């Protein structure tokens, strides 16, 4: 099977692809090249960087913001801004708290305990983006250029944590609603009944969307995880552990991209020694990940950035395409 055949498309539905791995293996380069290649095939493509240390702008040599930025025909990109994300997240927390007037200290502590279980703000913001684009089907494919492995696993655990947290909030809300209705005559500050019902309805809708997201993330026809490794032991073993964790989230891991392979034609002693070590690591990769489709990218002589270089990487991975790629003018 060709690596490009791993990408499945359902008419009218967005395909989601997470590209991840250990820090420094070239995830952003692979993500940017993949997004560019599919946009050239006529797929309306969005790439989202969930890594707090963004480098997507550097790869495309464009200024990319918190909202979708046009890169080329059929291609948009965004980098989640931690400060904006923090403001949004704090506003949501305050809104949830304001919807629970009369909550006693025990209930408030329960709420804060559940909130403290949530992943970091970057993962929360990334999940918000997932929810946003999951329901609109505005794009043919959305590619997540993820943070290093630990951050990514927290992101993928977010639906479970949010489902639990919102469920707790719904329980608390119902308790308060019952008290408000029972003691409304003597406790007028409990709030308007219609407002309380709307708050509960909003939380129920949030829970429904979270569970829908969980379903899509576990659907191999909609969502998959591609792992980028380099032929070094630390990268291989970290990726192996990450895949085991991903399977616990019912995520489909179907492809491995081996990056930075030393060419066989070694023209120096150092290069020959590196190649010899890598050959052993390539055997290990085949043994550990042989059940998946494995693609290889040779070590490049030049820095991979800009549309032309990314096009070359995309062609190595997915096949040649002769169409000239032109970036859109900057705003």
């Amino acid at each position: 099977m060709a690596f490009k055949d791993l990408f499945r498309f359902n008419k009218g539905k967005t395909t989601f692809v997470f590209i991840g791995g250990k820090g420094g293996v070239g995830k952003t380069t692979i993500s940017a090249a993949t997004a560019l290649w599919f946009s050239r095939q006529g797929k309306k493509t969005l790439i989202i960087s969930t890594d707090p240390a963004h480098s997507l702008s550097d790869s495309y040599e464009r200024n990319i913001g918190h909202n979708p930025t046009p890169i080329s025909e059929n291609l948009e990109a965004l980098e989640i801004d931690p400060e904006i994300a923090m403001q949004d997240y704090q506003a949501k927390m305050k809104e949830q708290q304001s919807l629970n007037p009369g909550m006693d200290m025990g209930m408030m502590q329960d709420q804060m305990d559940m909130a403290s279980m949530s992943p970091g703000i970057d993962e929360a913001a990334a999940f918000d983006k997932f929810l946003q684009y999951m329901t609109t089907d505005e794009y043919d494919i959305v590619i997540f250029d993820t943070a290093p492995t630990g951050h990514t696993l927290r992101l993928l655990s977010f639906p479970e944590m949010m489902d639990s947290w919102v469920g707790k909030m719904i329980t608390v809300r119902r308790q308060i609603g019952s008290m408000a209705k029972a003691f409304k005559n003597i406790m007028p500050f409990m709030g308007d009944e219609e407002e309380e019902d709307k708050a509960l309805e909003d939380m129920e809708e949030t829970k429904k969307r979270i569970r829908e997201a969980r379903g899509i993330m576990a659907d191999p026809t909609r969502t998959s995880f591609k792992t980028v490794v380099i032929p070094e032991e630390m990268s291989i073993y970290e990726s192996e552990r990450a895949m085991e964790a991903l399977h616990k989230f019912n995520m489909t891991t179907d492809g491995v991209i081996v990056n930075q392979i030393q060419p066989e034609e070694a023209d120096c002693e150092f290069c020959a020694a590196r190649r010899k070590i890598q050959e052993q690591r390539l055997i290990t990769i085949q043994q550990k990940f042989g059940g998946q489709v494995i693609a290889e990218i040779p070590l490049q002589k030049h820095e991979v950035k800009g549309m032309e270089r990314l096009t070359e990487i995309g062609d190595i991975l997915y096949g040649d395409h002769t169409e000239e790629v032109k970036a859109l003018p900057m705003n």
Side-chain angles (χ1 to χ4, degrees):
M1 177 185 287
F3 203 82
K4 65 182 179 182
D5 295 331
L6 293 174
F7 294 79
R8 304 176 184 180
F9 294 91
N10 300 288
K11 188 175 182 180
K13 297 291 184 181
T14 299
T15 293
F16 299 95
V17 178
F18 291 83
I19 296 179
K22 189 178 183 297
V25 298
K27 296 184 301 296
T28 296
T29 297
I30 301 302
S31 300
T34 297
L36 180 58
W37 193 87
F38 277 102
S39 71
R40 293 161 60 208
Q41 312 311 305
K43 301 294 185 185
K44 188 175 182 182
T45 306
L46 174 67
I47 179 170
I48 300 174
S49 172
T50 69
D51 190 343
H54 297 300
S55 55
L56 197 57
S57 291
D58 298 328
S59 289
Y60 284 129
E61 298 182 326
R62 301 292 302 276
N63 293 322
I64 297 173
H66 190 70
N67 295 308
T69 302
I71 302 297
S72 62
E73 185 177 1
N74 295 321
L75 176 60
E76 296 179 349
L78 72 83
E79 292 180 335
I80 295 173
D81 186 316
E83 291 187 10
I84 296 176
M86 178 67 79
Q87 293 169 5
D88 292 345
Y89 194 60
Q90 288 178 336
K92 288 183 180 180
M93 291 293 293
K94 289 179 180 178
E95 180 182 1
Q96 290 293 342
Q97 291 178 9
S98 70
L99 293 175
N100 290 279
M103 181 185 294
D104 64 30
M105 291 306 294
M107 292 179 180
M108 179 63 77
Q109 187 60 51
D110 284 343
Q111 177 183 347
M112 297 310 296
D113 287 344
M114 294 305 297
S116 67
M117 289 171 60
S118 301
I121 184 59
D122 302 296
E123 289 85 5
F127 184 66
D128 274 350
K129 291 295 182 184
F130 185 85
L131 282 177
Q132 178 182 344
Y133 294 107
M134 178 197 72
T135 54
T136 63
D137 289 315
E138 179 182 351
Y139 297 88
D140 294 313
I141 182 169
V142 173
I143 295 169
F144 289 89
D145 169 31
T146 69
T149 307
H151 288 274
T152 301
L153 293 177
R154 289 200 300 272
L155 163 64
L156 297 176
S157 71
F158 200 68
E160 296 286 343
M161 293 182 178
M162 277 297 293
D163 192 18
S164 176
W165 185 77
V166 174
K168 181 71 175 180
M169 290 299 299
I170 289 173
T171 299
V172 170
R173 186 69 201 177
R174 284 175 174 160
Q175 291 173 345
I176 293 173
S178 297
M179 288 189 295
K181 291 176 181 177
F183 300 104
K184 192 167 182 62
N185 290 335
I186 58 174
M187 301 174 70
F189 63 86
M190 291 303 289
D192 182 78
E193 185 175 324
E194 183 177 340
E195 181 180 321
E196 291 171 2
D197 290 342
K198 179 63 167 62
L200 186 58
E201 181 182 325
D202 288 345
M203 283 187 279
E204 292 281 9
E205 179 61 27
T206 298
K207 190 174 182 69
K208 179 182 176 182
R209 293 178 67 218
I210 291 169
R211 291 192 168 179
E212 185 178 355
R214 287 170 60 186
I216 290 178
M217 292 175 77
D219 183 349
T221 69
R222 297 287 306 278
T223 305
S224 63
F225 195 100
K226 273 59 173 174
T227 305
V228 183
V229 301
I230 56 176
E232 295 181 0
E233 280 191 342
M234 288 182 64
S235 174
I236 295 169
Y237 292 126
E238 180 172 315
S239 296
E240 183 181 30
R241 291 191 295 270
M243 287 184 194
E244 292 173 356
L246 289 166
H247 294 159
K248 293 179 182 179
F249 298 128
N250 297 316
M251 286 284 293
T252 297
T253 57
D254 56 4
V256 174
I257 300 167
V258 189
N259 196 21
Q260 302 176 18
I261 299 177
Q262 183 75 38
E264 290 186 53
E265 301 78 19
D267 56 0
C268 68
E269 185 177 347
F270 173 80
C271 302
R274 288 285 298 170
R275 174 68 194 188
K276 188 174 182 180
I277 294 173
Q278 287 192 352
E279 285 175 351
Q280 295 301 312
R281 302 298 175 259
L282 290 171
I283 292 173
T284 301
I285 288 171
Q286 286 289 342
Q287 291 172 340
K288 292 186 175 296
F289 311 125
Q292 301 184 48
V293 178
I294 299 176
E296 298 182 355
I297 299 178
L299 181 66
Q300 302 296 298
K301 296 180 180 179
H302 43 68
E303 186 177 8
V304 181
K305 58 184 298 189
M307 305 297 275
E308 182 179 350
R309 299 303 188 195
L310 291 171
T311 297
E312 292 173 358
I313 295 298
D315 288 343
I316 291 172
L317 271 174
Y318 306 112
D320 293 338
H321 192 289
T322 58
E323 179 184 337
E324 182 180 1
V325 178
K326 294 182 179 179
L328 297 181
M330 295 182 66
N331 295 328

